[in-house]
Amino acid sequence: MAPSRAGAGAVLPVVVALLLGVAATTGGARKMASHGEGANLKASPGAPAAGGSADQFRGKARLPSFAAPRRYELFLRPDLVACTFSGSVAISVAVSAPTRFLVLNALDLSVNRTSIRFQALEPTEVVFFKDDGVLVLGFAKQLPLGEGLLKMDFNGILNDQMRGFYRSKYQYKGKERNMAVTQFESVDARRCFPCWDEPAFKAKFKLTLEVPSELVALSNMPVGNATFAGPIKTVRYLESPPMSTYLVAIVVGLFEYVEGMTTKGTRVRVYTQIGKSNQGKFALDVGVKSLNLYKDYFDTPFPLPKLDMVAIPDFAAGAMENYGLVTYREVALLFDDKSSSASSRQSVAITVAHELAHQWFGNLVTMEWWTHLWLNEGFATWVSHLAVDSFFPQWNIWTQFLDSTTTALRLDSLEASHPIEVEIHHASEVDQIFDAISYDKGASVIRMLQSYLGAERFQKAMASYMKKYAFSNAKTEDLWAVLEKETGEPVKDLMTTWTKQKGYPVINAKIKGDDIEIEQAQFLLDGSSGSGMWIVPITSGCGAYDTQKKFLLKLKRDKMVIGSQCGDRKKGGNFWTKLNINGTGFYRVKYDDELAAALQNALETKKLSLMDKIGTVDDLYALSIARQQTFASLLRLLYGYRGEADYSVLSHINTVTTSIAKVSADATPALAGDIKQLLIKILLSPAEKLGWDPKKGESHLDVMLRPLLLTALVQLGHGKTINEGVRRFNIFTRDRGTSLLPPDTRKAAYLAVMQNVSSSNRSGYDALRKIYKESAEGEERLQVLGILSSCRDKGIVLESLNLIFTNEVRNQDAYILLRGIQPEAREISWNWLKENWERISRTFSGSLAANFVKNIVPLFTSNEKAAEISKFFATRTKPGFERTLKQSLETVRISARWAEGIRSEPGLSQTVRELLAKP
């Protein structure tokens, strides 16, 4: 899945034989599995399941394993007008140990009690634990061992929560219509049909749908046959190979498509709303190429006869890798040469490559439990960059990959981080781990391992892993075992230190004679010391990149002999050394004064690679936040990048400058204006070279760099850039076809307009709202949405935030409105959040609600505000955003500590003045 992305009821005994609806309970508190039960808890196949009461299955981490599904025959009849559905399921269940119970998952379904049969047996009790999403069927006597058929009928609501079986709205011929869509990852298949809703319970699926005849009805497998009865058709799909419930998919609506074929004859289609199929051609091309590449990389063919990719108007995540039927947000799949930006082209390519990587890593071989989610997401993130680099080498995508690494490094330096392999004690906890640790740290440690083992050995081992576990499940340890066998390297010992504990080390490097002494310590942004220890693949370069060294740091301290190959230290000039070459390792480096000065000199004399330019500034930025290096030293290093022209490097510089501008406004208000001028000075030269207008034949990266720099200058208050943006916007409002404001630079112009907006001068704001309402392009609408709250005027900010509760903004896009909030508007935004929290928590589920916390809370930089926010949420937390809240509050406290350090730093103003005075 591509990211973007309720306690136990009292037991409900069903006494009346004809009662419908095992779907509502009240009261009671969820009984969590104790910490000691662990993430991989499974009930033993024997007692007490043979007897006892249904209550023994309440509040467990996992379903018991004494019965498991082998095959589902599932029939569904969605009503797209009433927004309901009815269905029936017949599950072949293998009973492997004495029991009188069947325990499975169901949630928000009404199950017809009289329809339930296991073979010829009727249940004597039907108990539903709502907060666990568990349905327990008790029978009068022990069930026969072996395979039997469990049947039941049910009905439910096509909800508007973008999970389970839900409705999405779209326009057709001027009228609003509903489509039916599934989103089952992580634990929402149970909202569509009763099932064993855990990854390890793989089974075959044979689906039948009854839908209006004129609609397209898609599922994981191709259509076997369809029969028509007037306005209704019954569509029967071929049986699937074994797969997990979270990968089952259904889409019903009006679509058109473009089609392609892989070299091995797999049919690939991209489905879009009527009239948009042309925008699916780029994704189709990337999709076909991805399937061809992964077939070779994994030495395993794509196992299904077709692959469909569908653009869905309402979609909570970025995309979802359902087997053979991948679903996407429209902006994550559709691309138009005339109206889409270069960054959109790149985003679509990476998202498609990510989801199709899952067809092998996730779908063919599936994690055994959510603890191992990173196997899916980390690998798909890493290998999608491998694929896109193959298709578009000019994009320099591996340098851009460091975005993922630095994002993960920032999150993983919080005390409220979590290990890559995280214990899951309840289904309600799963959604929280779809984060930068599972995706970006996961991908980064895979890159680190591949770099250590070598690309060829790594690929060969991955192909062996894929073949060994095809159509089954695997744990992290299974991957390490295959890699060890294939390479002979101590992979398990090495990688366990990275996956089973949170955090990472900072390597302290000090020069002593002809040696560099290195020492590892856990790095935490709050400046505290952690107790973690890692086996660290150290790489180093001395004076040039052709003298690299590699070794494993297994101890807390060690040393490297450098001799004279790093250049003559006494003469200066060429002497420098860089650890963690090209950022392949997931760690930071802190150099002593001599090494740091030599490295800055190497930077300014253009000796460092692009990746090392990124790593150098990101490390010092993090060390400054942790108050292990001075703020002044960070500014001096940044000044060394003033002649930089590379997109990836300047993207990271922009991240740092944005953070510096924010914290300096709170830490040193009197100096904040000068600091902004210094940051403008660093970014202005490359921005002026690129200008506002695209140039014939310029690179993809320069096309992406232009809006990055223009937007940064607007945010820093650069008057000339703001005025030019406003000028171009005014022309654009009169002539939408003008060449003065192509898609790539519109965001900068929109942001420029918002700098001058107020309640008494709202013409620019109203013009932007008009563009949002009238535009048919998803990317354009999201760009406008993302800047409507980028205003200092409290009235305008409130008006923008309240759009979230109107029909103008789809629930999936609400968080985009929050992204533009400026520090000047944080107080009004926090008050708005408090006043509307009950409504927000009712309307938005799980990760969608977490986005409100994530985008507003970290705007603050005081311990007092952290305490106030913590107090407000003390009685309002839910499992879906508890971890996000902790991380956001920790970020506030870290920012407060950083600001305090900056305030008390001697000589800072002198450093700023000196840098401003430099040519």
Side-chain angles (χ1 to χ4, degrees):
M1 186 157 65
S4 170
R5 245 206 35 93
V11 175
L12 180 69
V14 178
V15 181
V16 183
L18 296 177
L19 180 65
L20 293 177
V22 193
T25 66
T26 57
R30 175 160 57 85
K31 180 178 160 189
M32 292 287 287
S34 71
H35 184 72
E37 286 174 323
N40 291 316
L41 174 70
K42 275 194 175 181
S44 64
S53 72
D55 201 57
Q56 66 186 293
F57 305 110
R58 182 205 291 262
K60 300 295 184 183
R62 308 274 298 260
L63 293 174
S65 60
F66 50 69
R70 295 289 180 259
R71 182 178 184 271
Y72 292 82
E73 281 205 30
L74 176 62
F75 169 83
L76 289 168
R77 181 191 296 113
D79 184 330
L80 295 175
V81 177
C83 292
T84 59
F85 64 91
S86 57
S88 61
V89 66
I91 312 171
S92 297
V93 180
V95 179
S96 57
T99 181
R100 69 177 190 88
F101 295 102
L102 290 176
V103 187
L104 61 161
N105 297 112
L107 186 61
D108 295 344
L109 295 174
S110 292
V111 177
N112 185 334
R113 176 352 182 157
T114 62
S115 71
I116 303 173
R117 293 286 186 281
F118 181 67
Q119 299 295 71
L121 300 174
E122 291 184 55
T124 54
E125 53 184 322
V126 179
V127 182
F128 182 69
F129 300 119
K130 182 179 180 183
D131 284 1
D132 301 325
V134 166
L135 175 63
V136 181
L137 307 178
F139 296 85
K141 58 182 182 179
Q142 285 193 5
L143 303 177
L145 297 181
E147 216 162 292
L149 201 62
L150 173 66
K151 294 182 177 181
M152 67 186 82
D153 302 334
F154 54 90
N155 56 65
I157 303 292
L158 288 173
N159 68 70
D160 59 0
Q161 297 291 307
M162 293 179 284
R163 59 181 179 173
F165 201 15
Y166 72 94
R167 63 184 180 270
S168 176
K169 293 183 170 126
Y170 64 107
Q171 294 283 328
Y172 180 65
K173 293 185 177 179
K175 292 184 179 178
E176 188 172 80
R177 300 185 60 150
N178 293 317
M179 65 175 70
V181 186
T182 55
Q183 170 57 43
F184 290 163
E185 191 177 31
S186 52
V187 291
D188 290 318
R190 64 192 67 181
R191 296 176 188 271
C192 180
F193 61 101
C195 57
W196 275 256
D197 197 15
E198 292 181 7
F201 288 112
K202 280 192 167 183
K204 296 179 179 180
F205 287 83
K206 187 164 179 54
L207 269 67
T208 301
L209 297 179
E210 189 176 286
V211 297
S213 296
E214 76 276 11
L215 299 183
V216 174
L218 303 170
S219 189
N220 307 84
M221 299 298 289
V223 174
N225 66 74
T227 55
F228 293 80
I232 299 296
K233 64 180 175 183
T234 303
V235 186
R236 301 170 187 86
Y237 299 89
L238 298 179
E239 185 169 285
S240 77
M243 64 180 184
S244 304
T245 50
Y246 79 89
L247 295 168
V248 176
I250 297 160
V251 176
V252 181
L254 279 175
F255 298 99
E256 60 185 27
Y257 64 85
V258 287
E259 183 179 278
M261 200 77 72
T262 69
T263 54
K264 290 296 183 182
T266 302
R267 190 198 77 204
V268 183
R269 287 178 178 174
V270 174
Y271 284 86
T272 72
Q273 288 188 53
I274 305 298
K276 291 187 176 182
S277 59
N278 198 50
Q279 297 178 37
K281 289 181 177 177
F282 176 69
L284 176 66
D285 181 56
V286 173
V288 170
K289 287 176 178 174
S290 295
L291 290 184
N292 288 334
L293 184 144
Y294 296 146
K295 170 187 65 68
D296 293 338
Y297 189 86
F298 296 122
D299 194 25
T300 302
F302 178 64
L304 302 185
K306 63 90 177 176
L307 178 89
D308 296 327
M309 300 189 282
V310 192
I312 306 296
D314 298 283
F315 201 78
M320 175 61 209
E321 68 268 19
N322 313 299
Y323 222 171
L325 177 57
V326 185
T327 45
Y328 296 79
R329 280 188 182 214
E330 290 191 324
V331 293
L333 186 67
L334 306 184
F335 177 82
D336 188 299
D337 282 317
K338 294 177 181 175
S339 62
S340 300
S341 65
S343 59
S344 175
R345 178 191 290 270
Q346 185 173 294
S347 176
V348 168
I350 289 176
T351 304
V352 170
H354 177 108
E355 301 309 324
L356 299 201
H358 276 309
Q359 303 302 307
W360 283 263
F361 223 100
N363 299 8
L364 181 63
V365 179
T366 310
M367 65 206 161
E368 193 274 338
W369 178 238
W370 297 105
T371 290
H372 310 283
L373 172 69
W374 85 278
L375 284 177
N376 284 15
E377 301 301 350
F379 200 92
T381 300
W382 178 82
V383 83
S384 66
H385 285 74
L386 184 85
V388 171
D389 185 56
S390 171
F391 311 149
F392 306 102
Q394 70 276 19
W395 290 3
N396 212 358
I397 207 74
W398 280 117
T399 304
Q400 294 190 56
F401 175 82
L402 291 183
D403 278 335
S404 298
T405 300
T406 55
T407 297
L409 285 167
R410 277 191 278 282
L411 179 55
D412 207 27
S413 55
L414 300 181
E415 179 60 39
S417 183
H418 63 83
I420 284 178
E421 293 183 72
V422 59
E423 288 194 356
I424 299 294
H425 297 110
H426 195 271
S428 61
E429 300 172 8
V430 177
D431 284 350
Q432 293 188 90
I433 62 170
F434 284 80
D435 63 4
I437 301 301
S438 296
Y439 286 76
D440 299 329
K441 183 179 181 181
S444 298
V445 299
I446 288 167
R447 177 173 177 249
M448 178 170 68
L449 179 61
Q450 189 231 22
S451 175
Y452 173 72
L453 296 176
E456 286 187 25
R457 285 204 298 175
F458 185 77
Q459 180 181 356
K460 182 184 176 187
M462 293 314 305
S464 296
Y465 171 80
M466 203 60 58
K467 289 181 176 120
K468 182 172 183 178
Y469 292 100
F471 299 111
S472 62
N473 299 82
K475 300 178 181 180
T476 300
E477 290 76 13
D478 298 324
L479 175 59
W480 301 155
V482 172
L483 283 162
E484 281 201 353
K485 182 180 177 184
E486 293 289 336
T487 66
E489 297 284 351
V491 175
K492 182 180 178 182
D493 288 345
L494 165 63
M495 295 307 293
T496 295
T497 67
W498 295 95
T499 64
K500 289 192 180 294
Q501 64 179 335
K502 66 183 178 183
Y504 58 88
V506 57
I507 305 298
N508 292 283
K510 297 177 182 178
I511 196 157
K512 196 168 184 180
D514 287 338
D515 297 336
I516 292 180
E517 295 180 345
I518 58 176
E519 180 178 351
Q520 65 163 300
Q522 183 170 355
F523 179 75
L524 290 162
L525 270 179
D526 65 5
S528 64
S529 56
S531 58
M533 277 278 291
W534 289 262
I535 298 177
V536 190
I538 299 286
T539 55
S540 66
C542 285
Y545 281 89
D546 55 4
T547 57
Q548 289 185 41
K549 288 185 175 181
K550 292 184 178 182
F551 76 98
L552 283 180
L553 174 63
K554 298 180 179 180
L555 308 170
K556 187 167 179 63
R557 297 176 188 84
D558 210 327
K559 64 182 179 181
M560 301 186 303
V561 179
I562 57 170
S564 60
Q565 71 264 34
C566 294
D568 192 329
R569 288 168 56 201
K570 295 188 176 71
K571 292 181 181 178
N574 288 329
F575 167 73
W576 58 272
T577 189
K578 171 74 175 65
L579 301 188
N580 195 13
I581 294 293
N582 291 328
T584 54
F586 195 77
Y587 57 90
R588 297 199 181 280
V589 183
K590 180 184 177 184
Y591 300 93
D592 68 12
D593 291 345
E594 183 179 348
L595 291 172
L599 193 59
Q600 176 137 4
N601 183 60
L603 167 73
E604 294 181 352
T605 53
K606 305 194 183 323
K607 303 281 177 58
L608 298 185
S609 69
L610 295 175
M611 289 181 178
D612 282 337
K613 288 180 181 179
I614 292 168
T616 299
V617 71
D618 203 72
D619 283 352
L620 191 58
Y621 168 52
L623 289 164
S624 173
I625 294 173
R627 292 171 61 173
Q628 293 187 30
Q629 295 281 23
T630 65
F631 189 62
S633 66
L634 176 59
L635 293 178
R636 280 193 291 269
L637 179 69
L638 276 174
Y639 195 76
Y641 289 82
R642 66 196 178 280
E644 184 55 57
D646 178 77
Y647 165 78
S648 297
V649 176
L650 284 168
S651 175
H652 283 266
I653 296 299
N654 179 49
T655 299
V656 177
T657 57
T658 301
S659 178
I660 285 174
K662 172 177 170 276
V663 76
S664 61
D666 286 333
T668 58
L671 200 56
D674 284 346
I675 289 175
K676 278 190 176 182
Q677 289 307 308
L678 176 60
L679 301 177
I680 288 170
K681 187 177 178 183
I682 294 166
L683 298 174
L684 191 56
S685 173
E688 288 179 334
K689 284 179 184 174
L690 287 171
W692 278 83
D693 298 306
K695 297 173 177 61
K696 190 173 182 180
E698 66 186 346
S699 71
H700 166 80
L701 293 175
D702 278 349
V703 175
M704 296 227 297
L705 179 57
R706 179 178 291 109
L708 177 93
L709 292 173
L710 292 174
T711 300
L713 290 172
V714 169
Q715 289 173 323
L716 289 168
H718 185 243
K720 186 178 177 183
T721 305
I722 292 171
N723 291 340
E724 182 62 14
V726 172
R727 184 184 78 81
R728 289 173 181 254
F729 177 78
N730 289 336
I731 295 170
F732 177 69
T733 56
R734 295 191 296 270
D735 174 17
R736 298 284 176 86
T738 180
S739 62
L740 286 176
L741 207 57
D744 288 291
T745 51
R746 284 177 196 166
K747 180 182 177 182
Y750 295 166
L751 199 60
V753 169
M754 288 300 295
Q755 304 310 297
N756 301 319
V757 161
S758 67
S759 297
S760 58
N761 177 30
R762 54 178 294 137
S763 59
Y765 179 76
D766 291 336
L768 283 166
R769 289 277 299 275
K770 188 169 186 281
I771 292 169
Y772 175 77
K773 289 177 183 176
E774 293 178 355
S775 177
E777 303 302 327
E779 183 184 358
E780 170 87 332
R781 286 168 59 82
L782 292 184
Q783 278 203 339
V784 175
L785 202 59
I787 59 91
L788 285 179
S789 60
S790 298
C791 182
R792 296 176 182 85
D793 186 280
K794 296 176 181 178
I796 294 292
V797 172
L798 280 178
E799 185 176 339
S800 298
L801 292 176
N802 284 326
L803 289 174
I804 286 170
F805 303 124
T806 71
N807 291 330
E808 281 191 48
V809 179
R810 292 179 184 267
N811 284 356
Q812 66 170 17
D813 299 329
Y815 77 96
I816 307 236
L817 253 175
L818 306 169
R819 283 181 166 178
I821 298 170
Q822 301 297 300
E824 294 88 345
R826 60 193 172 189
E827 197 66 50
I828 194 75
S829 302
W830 165 238
N831 289 332
W832 172 87
L833 184 64
K834 286 190 293 184
E835 290 167 11
N836 290 283
W837 181 251
E838 298 309 319
R839 186 175 183 182
I840 289 166
S841 57
R842 283 196 310 271
T843 307
F844 299 92
S845 59
S847 60
L848 291 175
N851 279 322
F852 287 81
V853 173
K854 192 187 298 183
N855 283 283
I856 292 176
V857 171
L859 292 169
F860 293 99
T861 57
S862 79
N863 290 318
E864 295 76 18
K865 186 57 69 171
E868 178 193 328
I869 294 167
S870 182
K871 183 178 179 182
F872 174 80
F873 281 113
T875 57
R876 294 174 173 89
T877 55
K878 288 184 178 180
F881 69 89
E882 193 172 1
R883 192 186 299 275
T884 300
L885 176 63
K886 285 181 181 177
Q887 292 166 348
S888 298
L889 287 169
E890 187 177 349
T891 300
V892 174
R893 296 184 184 105
I894 287 167
S895 296
R897 184 176 179 272
W898 189 26
E900 180 190 356
I902 293 169
R903 268 192 296 276
S904 59
E905 190 172 310
L908 179 59
S909 59
Q910 184 181 343
T911 299
V912 173
R913 283 196 301 272
E914 286 174 1
L915 292 173
L916 278 173
K918 276 191 171 186

